[in-house]
Amino acid sequence: MPELLVDVATRIVVPVTALPGPEAGEPCEDTFALEALGHVFVTSLRIWAQAGPDTRSELPPT
């Protein structure tokens, strides 16, 4: 099931956050930030899916 979530997120996030084509003009700084954010999100999901959804890190005591 985690692999399905990663696949669905990739199919949605990557096209939405991808850099526009040359016909859209010069991309602005926000465009590059959005693309980077999409990559970070999808990569985080992939790492989570590989580690297993039940894996969690222990938080340090407060």
Side-chain angles (χ1 to χ4, degrees), residues 56-62:
R56 65 183 181 119
S57 61
E58 292 297 323
L59 297 175
T62 56

mmCIF file with all atom_site columns, all heavy atoms in Angstrom, residues 56-62:
data_model
loop_
_atom_site.group_PDB
_atom_site.id
_atom_site.type_symbol
_atom_site.label_atom_id
_atom_site.label_alt_id
_atom_site.label_comp_id
_atom_site.label_asym_id
_atom_site.label_entity_id
_atom_site.label_seq_id
_atom_site.pdbx_PDB_ins_code
_atom_site.Cartn_x
_atom_site.Cartn_y
_atom_site.Cartn_z
_atom_site.occupancy
_atom_site.B_iso_or_equiv
_atom_site.pdbx_formal_charge
_atom_site.auth_seq_id
_atom_site.auth_comp_id
_atom_site.auth_asym_id
_atom_site.auth_atom_id
_atom_site.pdbx_PDB_model_num
ATOM 1  N N   . ARG A 1 56 ? 8.977  4.577  12.975 1.00 0.00 ? 56 ARG A N   1
ATOM 2  C CA  . ARG A 1 56 ? 8.945  5.948  13.452 1.00 0.00 ? 56 ARG A CA  1
ATOM 3  C C   . ARG A 1 56 ? 10.230 6.225  14.205 1.00 0.00 ? 56 ARG A C   1
ATOM 4  O O   . ARG A 1 56 ? 10.864 5.329  14.752 1.00 0.00 ? 56 ARG A O   1
ATOM 5  C CB  . ARG A 1 56 ? 7.744  6.196  14.362 1.00 0.00 ? 56 ARG A CB  1
ATOM 6  C CG  . ARG A 1 56 ? 7.773  5.425  15.640 1.00 0.00 ? 56 ARG A CG  1
ATOM 7  C CD  . ARG A 1 56 ? 6.527  5.657  16.461 1.00 0.00 ? 56 ARG A CD  1
ATOM 8  N NE  . ARG A 1 56 ? 6.627  4.904  17.691 1.00 0.00 ? 56 ARG A NE  1
ATOM 9  C CZ  . ARG A 1 56 ? 6.622  5.439  18.891 1.00 0.00 ? 56 ARG A CZ  1
ATOM 10 N NH1 . ARG A 1 56 ? 6.485  6.716  19.018 1.00 0.00 ? 56 ARG A NH1 1
ATOM 11 N NH2 . ARG A 1 56 ? 6.730  4.683  19.946 1.00 0.00 ? 56 ARG A NH2 1
ATOM 12 N N   . SER A 1 57 ? 10.603 7.453  14.233 1.00 0.00 ? 57 SER A N   1
ATOM 13 C CA  . SER A 1 57 ? 11.802 7.810  14.992 1.00 0.00 ? 57 SER A CA  1
ATOM 14 C C   . SER A 1 57 ? 11.386 8.275  16.369 1.00 0.00 ? 57 SER A C   1
ATOM 15 O O   . SER A 1 57 ? 10.320 8.875  16.543 1.00 0.00 ? 57 SER A O   1
ATOM 16 C CB  . SER A 1 57 ? 12.572 8.908  14.275 1.00 0.00 ? 57 SER A CB  1
ATOM 17 O OG  . SER A 1 57 ? 11.773 10.057 14.164 1.00 0.00 ? 57 SER A OG  1
ATOM 18 N N   . GLU A 1 58 ? 12.214 7.978  17.318 1.00 0.00 ? 58 GLU A N   1
ATOM 19 C CA  . GLU A 1 58 ? 11.927 8.391  18.696 1.00 0.00 ? 58 GLU A CA  1
ATOM 20 C C   . GLU A 1 58 ? 12.251 9.865  18.847 1.00 0.00 ? 58 GLU A C   1
ATOM 21 O O   . GLU A 1 58 ? 13.305 10.322 18.430 1.00 0.00 ? 58 GLU A O   1
ATOM 22 C CB  . GLU A 1 58 ? 12.746 7.566  19.669 1.00 0.00 ? 58 GLU A CB  1
ATOM 23 C CG  . GLU A 1 58 ? 12.348 6.109  19.719 1.00 0.00 ? 58 GLU A CG  1
ATOM 24 C CD  . GLU A 1 58 ? 10.913 5.918  20.208 1.00 0.00 ? 58 GLU A CD  1
ATOM 25 O OE1 . GLU A 1 58 ? 10.469 6.657  21.106 1.00 0.00 ? 58 GLU A OE1 1
ATOM 26 O OE2 . GLU A 1 58 ? 10.241 5.022  19.684 1.00 0.00 ? 58 GLU A OE2 1
ATOM 27 N N   . LEU A 1 59 ? 11.357 10.601 19.445 1.00 0.00 ? 59 LEU A N   1
ATOM 28 C CA  . LEU A 1 59 ? 11.589 11.999 19.716 1.00 0.00 ? 59 LEU A CA  1
ATOM 29 C C   . LEU A 1 59 ? 12.389 12.140 21.003 1.00 0.00 ? 59 LEU A C   1
ATOM 30 O O   . LEU A 1 59 ? 12.189 11.366 21.952 1.00 0.00 ? 59 LEU A O   1
ATOM 31 C CB  . LEU A 1 59 ? 10.258 12.747 19.847 1.00 0.00 ? 59 LEU A CB  1
ATOM 32 C CG  . LEU A 1 59 ? 9.388  12.769 18.594 1.00 0.00 ? 59 LEU A CG  1
ATOM 33 C CD1 . LEU A 1 59 ? 8.061  13.436 18.916 1.00 0.00 ? 59 LEU A CD1 1
ATOM 34 C CD2 . LEU A 1 59 ? 10.092 13.520 17.486 1.00 0.00 ? 59 LEU A CD2 1
ATOM 35 N N   . PRO A 1 60 ? 13.300 13.109 21.032 1.00 0.00 ? 60 PRO A N   1
ATOM 36 C CA  . PRO A 1 60 ? 14.068 13.283 22.267 1.00 0.00 ? 60 PRO A CA  1
ATOM 37 C C   . PRO A 1 60 ? 13.152 13.774 23.384 1.00 0.00 ? 60 PRO A C   1
ATOM 38 O O   . PRO A 1 60 ? 12.147 14.457 23.130 1.00 0.00 ? 60 PRO A O   1
ATOM 39 C CB  . PRO A 1 60 ? 15.091 14.348 21.891 1.00 0.00 ? 60 PRO A CB  1
ATOM 40 C CG  . PRO A 1 60 ? 14.552 15.018 20.679 1.00 0.00 ? 60 PRO A CG  1
ATOM 41 C CD  . PRO A 1 60 ? 13.668 14.029 19.995 1.00 0.00 ? 60 PRO A CD  1
ATOM 42 N N   . PRO A 1 61 ? 13.466 13.432 24.622 1.00 0.00 ? 61 PRO A N   1
ATOM 43 C CA  . PRO A 1 61 ? 12.620 13.902 25.741 1.00 0.00 ? 61 PRO A CA  1
ATOM 44 C C   . PRO A 1 61 ? 12.658 15.423 25.840 1.00 0.00 ? 61 PRO A C   1
ATOM 45 O O   . PRO A 1 61 ? 13.669 16.042 25.557 1.00 0.00 ? 61 PRO A O   1
ATOM 46 C CB  . PRO A 1 61 ? 13.247 13.247 26.962 1.00 0.00 ? 61 PRO A CB  1
ATOM 47 C CG  . PRO A 1 61 ? 14.556 12.696 26.529 1.00 0.00 ? 61 PRO A CG  1
ATOM 48 C CD  . PRO A 1 61 ? 14.590 12.639 25.054 1.00 0.00 ? 61 PRO A CD  1
ATOM 49 N N   . THR A 1 62 ? 11.552 15.985 26.235 1.00 0.00 ? 62 THR A N   1
ATOM 50 C CA  . THR A 1 62 ? 11.484 17.444 26.350 1.00 0.00 ? 62 THR A CA  1
ATOM 51 C C   . THR A 1 62 ? 11.650 17.897 27.778 1.00 0.00 ? 62 THR A C   1
ATOM 52 O O   . THR A 1 62 ? 11.477 17.210 28.708 1.00 0.00 ? 62 THR A O   1
ATOM 53 C CB  . THR A 1 62 ? 10.144 17.978 25.824 1.00 0.00 ? 62 THR A CB  1
ATOM 54 O OG1 . THR A 1 62 ? 9.089  17.344 26.510 1.00 0.00 ? 62 THR A OG1 1
ATOM 55 C CG2 . THR A 1 62 ? 10.041 17.742 24.352 1.00 0.00 ? 62 THR A CG2 1
#
